[in-house]
Amino acid sequence: MTKARLLRLSVVLVSIFMILLIIVYWDNVGTAHFYLHTSFSRPRSPGAIAAGEDWETLPDVDEFLAKLLSSSLKQNSSIPRKTEQLLVQGSNKPMVSNLEENVRGYDWSTHKDRNSLDQEKLQVERQRTLREFCANSSFTFPTKERSFDDIPNYELNHLIVDDRHGVIYCYVPKVACTNWKRVMIVLSESLLDQGVPYRNPLDIPREHVHNTSTHLTFNKFWRRYGKFSRHLMKIKLKKYTKFLFVRDPFVRLISAFRSKFELENEDFYRRFAIPMLKLYSNHTNLPTSVSEAFGAGLKVSFSDFIQYLLDPRTEKMAPFNEHWRQVYRLCHPCQIDYDFIGKLETLDEDAAYLLQLLKVDRLLRFPPSYRNRTASSWEDNWFAKIPLSTGISLGAGMLMVLGLLVVTPRWA
């Protein structure tokens, strides 16, 4: 009788252990298939830091899961990786088949990179600026004081995870996010072309890049891991390299306007342009299609767009679209301690340095900049069209209302 009880108890314990292993490892991106090219700790210097270093005291469940993750790292560190040794081959100027990329064009001119020492100092300064901003009690905005646990899952949909290299990227629309998403697809091997993972970011069709099913994001963790999802998020935030890119917030608004309202976009016309034209330009009986509206000369003005952003009625109808939503609502920089903060204004240098830190610069290159990217020098001309009273409200309320200047655009 005693032997039978011990047998049953053993079966139960083994079953529980196997269930926990499945929860931790069963991931179609592959937490069981780590191929780390970067340290899990903060990239304070280009040198790698041993896995498992600098662990803080964790709750029991977190500690258990963390040990499992560390165990998988040690096992996989000895697995040979052919892909790591692949150099980017072929021409430096790959063929671009997508129409939008052809229209925009790429800038393949060479750029003088900052040296590593300058880049390292720059990152220290950017992180210090962000920490000071978050610690400044005299400056507040909604959700600033909440903890990571207070962030609902649906607000974590911009945090893309690459378990193969230990990377988390928070994408901000209109800040080179299309190409960074392409990079994440190549690194995570989350998209196949005829059964083979993409190797060149520019080969990935744009429609696949922005398909949410292509990426593993934090908001999907609940469906995969259930009640362990937050524990795993925290461990990955602690151990993975986390990065985001920002840009001058005023120029980001110009870029969003140009992209969504100066080009024919049926969805944005119906969802946003029609209400703006009715509210701020006193138009009625508007065409139902964007092509008819453009043919009749009915377009949203930049002034209408700014009024829409500042109108307190706007978000009572629906939250801001992600293309002009505040960075603090997309990436939660006061709740997540980012290891690398890049700027669109220094994209080429920052991207090259980040890929070196991640130790993936031999696998791929970051796609080049667009030749006609919205430039900071356009800012004065665009905002000169805004009425003075609106401009004052926008300038004074930019941090509070739009929340896009989380990181100052005045960095070198």
Side-chain angles (χ1 to χ4, degrees), residues 53-90:
E53 184 180 2
D54 193 30
W55 283 66
E56 294 181 355
T57 303
L58 297 170
D60 292 340
V61 176
D62 287 15
E63 185 176 1
F64 174 72
L65 295 176
K67 287 179 180 178
L68 287 177
L69 290 174
S70 289
S71 175
S72 80
L73 285 178
K74 292 176 182 177
Q75 292 171 7
N76 285 297
S77 62
S78 60
I79 298 176
R81 301 183 298 274
K82 293 182 180 179
T83 56
E84 184 178 8
Q85 298 168 6
L86 288 175
L87 289 172
V88 180
Q89 299 181 4

Side-chain angles (χ1 to χ4, degrees), residues 152-206:
N153 278 331
Y154 67 85
E155 288 188 19
L156 299 173
N157 62 331
H158 279 240
L159 290 155
I160 299 176
V161 181
D162 166 28
D163 283 317
R164 297 186 72 251
H165 299 83
V167 179
I168 296 174
Y169 163 52
C170 185
Y171 71 92
V172 179
K174 311 312 302 177
V175 191
C177 75
T178 298
N179 282 336
W180 277 116
K181 285 182 179 181
R182 284 180 167 131
V183 168
M184 294 297 286
I185 289 172
V186 171
L187 293 180
S188 64
E189 298 187 356
S190 60
L191 188 64
L192 305 180
D193 180 26
Q194 298 180 346
V196 179
Y198 283 97
R199 296 299 181 203
N200 185 342
L202 284 179
D203 288 341
I204 304 172
R206 192 179 184 87

Side-chain angles (χ1 to χ4, degrees), residues 20-207:
L20 287 172
L21 282 177
I22 291 171
I23 289 173
V24 173
Y25 290 109
W26 194 257
D27 189 333
N28 64 1
V29 179
T31 49
H33 302 285
F34 285 143
Y35 298 100
L36 294 182
H37 303 267
T38 179
S39 79
F40 275 167
S41 301
R42 300 177 61 85
R44 295 186 178 89
S45 67
I49 303 174
E53 184 180 2
D54 193 30
W55 283 66
E56 294 181 355
T57 303
L58 297 170
D60 292 340
V61 176
D62 287 15
E63 185 176 1
F64 174 72
L65 295 176
K67 287 179 180 178
L68 287 177
L69 290 174
S70 289
S71 175
S72 80
L73 285 178
K74 292 176 182 177
Q75 292 171 7
N76 285 297
S77 62
S78 60
I79 298 176
R81 301 183 298 274
K82 293 182 180 179
T83 56
E84 184 178 8
Q85 298 168 6
L86 288 175
L87 289 172
V88 180
Q89 299 181 4
S91 169
N92 288 341
K93 303 181 181 181
M95 294 298 293
V96 183
S97 59
N98 185 275
L99 177 61
E100 183 169 354
E101 267 74 7
N102 276 327
V103 171
R104 292 182 175 187
Y106 283 101
D107 177 11
W108 288 98
S109 59
T110 57
H111 298 272
K112 184 177 180 181
D113 291 346
R114 299 171 186 266
N115 62 50
S116 296
L117 183 60
D118 287 344
Q119 282 283 357
E120 189 172 351
K121 289 180 179 178
L122 192 60
Q123 283 303 311
V124 170
E125 177 62 22
R126 289 177 179 178
Q127 292 168 10
R128 182 189 63 79
T129 300
L130 181 56
R131 285 194 299 270
E132 289 178 355
F133 166 83
C134 291
N136 187 349
S137 59
S138 64
F139 186 86
T140 60
F141 56 84
T143 74
K144 180 183 177 183
E145 301 301 327
R146 69 181 176 180
S147 68
F148 178 76
D149 286 329
D150 295 327
I151 304 173
N153 278 331
Y154 67 85
E155 288 188 19
L156 299 173
N157 62 331
H158 279 240
L159 290 155
I160 299 176
V161 181
D162 166 28
D163 283 317
R164 297 186 72 251
H165 299 83
V167 179
I168 296 174
Y169 163 52
C170 185
Y171 71 92
V172 179
K174 311 312 302 177
V175 191
C177 75
T178 298
N179 282 336
W180 277 116
K181 285 182 179 181
R182 284 180 167 131
V183 168
M184 294 297 286
I185 289 172
V186 171
L187 293 180
S188 64
E189 298 187 356
S190 60
L191 188 64
L192 305 180
D193 180 26
Q194 298 180 346
V196 179
Y198 283 97
R199 296 299 181 203
N200 185 342
L202 284 179
D203 288 341
I204 304 172
R206 192 179 184 87
E207 59 270 21

Side-chain angles (χ1 to χ4, degrees), residues 280-293:
Y280 311 117
S281 294
N282 298 319
H283 287 295
T284 58
N285 301 320
L286 291 164
T288 56
S289 73
V290 67
S291 59
E292 291 180 73

Side-chain angles (χ1 to χ4, degrees), residues 345-372:
E345 291 81 357
T346 53
L347 175 63
D348 299 299
E349 300 95 327
D350 290 352
Y353 182 61
L354 176 58
L355 294 180
Q356 289 176 18
L357 287 181
L358 298 178
K359 302 188 185 302
V360 297
D361 51 312
R362 292 173 61 86
L363 297 178
L364 53 80
R365 293 186 179 93
F366 186 78
S369 307
Y370 294 132
R371 281 194 298 265
N372 66 339

